[in-house]
């Protein structure tokens, strides 16, 4: 516990002091999600097309990264990879810690993103693809024009959860010495002994970022579903609104409707 009585003014002061470290957090999230998309696609393709050997390797990869804590993965890559590469006379001991952090988060996110891609693609009605072939489209055209557009809309809610989970998991990067917002908060709290104020500021910062991201994903999904049948689109949007922020939006709409009545 802190040695000082709680003072709300420090919450706002620490909130401002944490903002510069937000750049590191967003850099880790953005880089790992971008690389995770590439990894996820490469892992999803062998499963979608049932490539024998690659499909088995993909399942092993998924089992490891989805079945072990990300903190353990961080330690394994940071401490284990240099030792393994020394066996083949490759020295990466001077490599930046941030490299290992982004690599770990990318592979971790890629495991979940691959399942998002696989689930979204298989959810598209096969009859639509056959209809595209009947109209003269080749495999690439059918995938880009029919499958990918619908799969993207289907995947948005789950992909949003992966991004938000990745954002909150970046707090573990402090265990390797990366001063992102959680690491900065820990440092400020240790020096000031005002742990309640600093962690309340940190909670507000995470809350605001998650709120903004969730609303952006919700708007993106609404835009992607604008050409679908109204009943189907409304059903999918209700799933998105099932989250905490979605329920807030629904309550606001209800209040506006009651006011007009």
């Amino acid at each position: 516990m802190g040695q000082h009585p709680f003072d709300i003014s420090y919450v706002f002061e620490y909130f401002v002091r944490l903002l510069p470290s937000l750049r590191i957090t967003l850099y880790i999230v953005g880089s790992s999600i971008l690389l995770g998309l590439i990894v996820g696609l490469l892992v999803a393709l062998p499963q979608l097309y049932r490539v024998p050997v690659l499909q088995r390797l993909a399942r092993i990869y998924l089992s490891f990264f989805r079945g072990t804590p990300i903190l353990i993965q961080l330690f394994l890559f940071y401490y284990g990879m240099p030792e393994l590469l020394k066996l083949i006379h490759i020295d990466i001991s001077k490599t930046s810690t941030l490299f290992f952090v982004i690599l770990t988060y990318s592979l971790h996110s890629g495991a979940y993103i691959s399942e998002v891609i696989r689930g979204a693609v298989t959810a598209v009605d096969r009859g639509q693809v056959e209809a595209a072939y009947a109209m003269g489209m080749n495999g690439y055209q059918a995938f880009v024009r029919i499958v990918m557009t619908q799969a993207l809309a289907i995947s948005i809610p789950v992909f949003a959860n992966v991004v938000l989970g990745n954002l909150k998991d970046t707090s573990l990067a402090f265990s390797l010495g990366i001063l992102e917002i959680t690491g900065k908060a820990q440092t400020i709290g240790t020096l000031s002994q005002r742990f309640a104020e600093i962690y309340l500021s940190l909670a507000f910062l995470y809350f605001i970022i998650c709120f903004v991201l969730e609303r952006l994903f919700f708007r993106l999904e609404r835009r992607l579903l604008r050409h679908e049948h109204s009943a189907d689109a409304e059903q999918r949007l209700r799933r998105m609104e099932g989250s905490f922020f979605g329920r807030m939006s629904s309550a606001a709409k209800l209040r506006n409707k009651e006011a007009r009545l």
Side-chain angles (χ1 to χ4, degrees):
M1 297 295 291
Q3 298 179 355
H4 309 284
F6 181 82
D7 188 344
I8 190 65
S9 63
Y10 283 99
V11 175
F12 301 103
E13 177 187 338
Y14 292 153
F15 184 89
V16 175
R17 291 178 63 181
L18 288 175
L19 289 178
S21 300
L22 182 60
R23 180 178 59 86
I24 300 297
T25 297
L26 295 179
Y27 178 74
I28 295 173
V29 173
S31 301
S32 60
I33 291 297
L34 181 61
L35 294 174
L37 281 169
I38 299 173
V39 173
L41 180 61
L42 294 176
V43 174
L45 288 176
Q47 298 185 86
L48 290 170
Y49 291 99
R50 303 181 184 277
V51 182
V53 177
L54 295 180
Q55 185 179 21
R56 183 174 296 274
L57 292 175
R59 289 176 178 174
I60 294 173
Y61 163 80
L62 292 173
S63 298
F64 174 77
F65 281 97
R66 297 174 66 194
T68 56
I70 191 170
L71 182 62
I72 303 301
Q73 296 167 18
L74 280 169
F75 289 152
L76 285 175
F77 277 93
Y78 183 68
Y79 295 109
M81 181 179 288
E83 296 300 322
L84 288 176
L85 292 179
K86 282 181 181 179
L87 299 177
I88 55 176
H89 307 289
I90 297 178
D91 184 14
I92 60 171
S93 58
K94 296 182 179 180
T95 305
S96 171
T97 305
L98 191 59
F99 166 80
F100 293 101
V101 170
I102 293 176
L103 175 63
T104 305
Y105 280 102
S106 299
L107 294 174
H108 181 83
S109 300
Y112 290 91
I113 292 174
S114 70
E115 291 298 279
V116 172
I117 295 173
R118 186 175 66 86
V121 171
T122 55
V124 177
D125 186 6
R126 181 66 185 175
Q128 298 187 41
V129 179
E130 294 174 353
Y133 291 150
M135 294 176 62
M137 293 186 188
N138 57 34
Y140 174 79
Q141 291 173 328
F143 180 80
V144 173
R145 297 180 183 179
I146 306 298
V147 177
M148 188 175 71
T149 53
Q150 295 185 66
L152 184 59
I154 294 171
S155 66
I156 289 297
V158 185
F159 180 71
N161 289 336
V162 173
V163 174
L164 295 178
N166 184 283
L167 170 65
K168 289 177 282 189
D169 284 342
T170 56
S171 61
L172 298 174
F174 178 60
S175 60
L176 296 182
I178 300 296
L179 278 180
E180 37 71 64
I181 54 177
T182 301
K184 184 68 173 180
Q186 178 67 28
T187 303
I188 294 174
T190 302
L191 294 174
S192 65
Q193 293 297 302
R194 291 187 177 274
F195 292 103
E197 292 90 340
I198 187 62
Y199 285 120
L200 188 57
S201 301
L202 182 64
F204 281 142
L205 187 55
Y206 273 115
F207 178 84
I208 292 171
I209 300 170
C210 289
F211 178 83
V212 172
L213 288 175
E214 186 161 353
R215 298 312 301 173
L216 288 174
F217 280 117
F218 179 73
R219 289 181 179 274
L220 176 59
E221 185 184 23
R222 182 183 292 275
R223 181 175 179 80
L224 291 172
L225 293 175
R226 68 187 185 280
H227 296 307
E228 285 200 12
H229 187 272
S230 58
D232 296 335
E234 187 65 27
Q235 184 179 5
R236 290 184 184 175
L237 288 173
R238 282 201 194 100
R239 288 204 307 268
M240 191 70 171
E241 288 185 342
S243 64
F244 173 71
F245 301 117
R247 290 195 297 271
M248 290 173 58
S249 178
S250 297
K253 292 177 182 177
L254 181 60
R255 286 194 297 270
N256 292 336
K257 184 176 180 181
E258 291 175 347
R260 288 195 299 268
L261 295 175

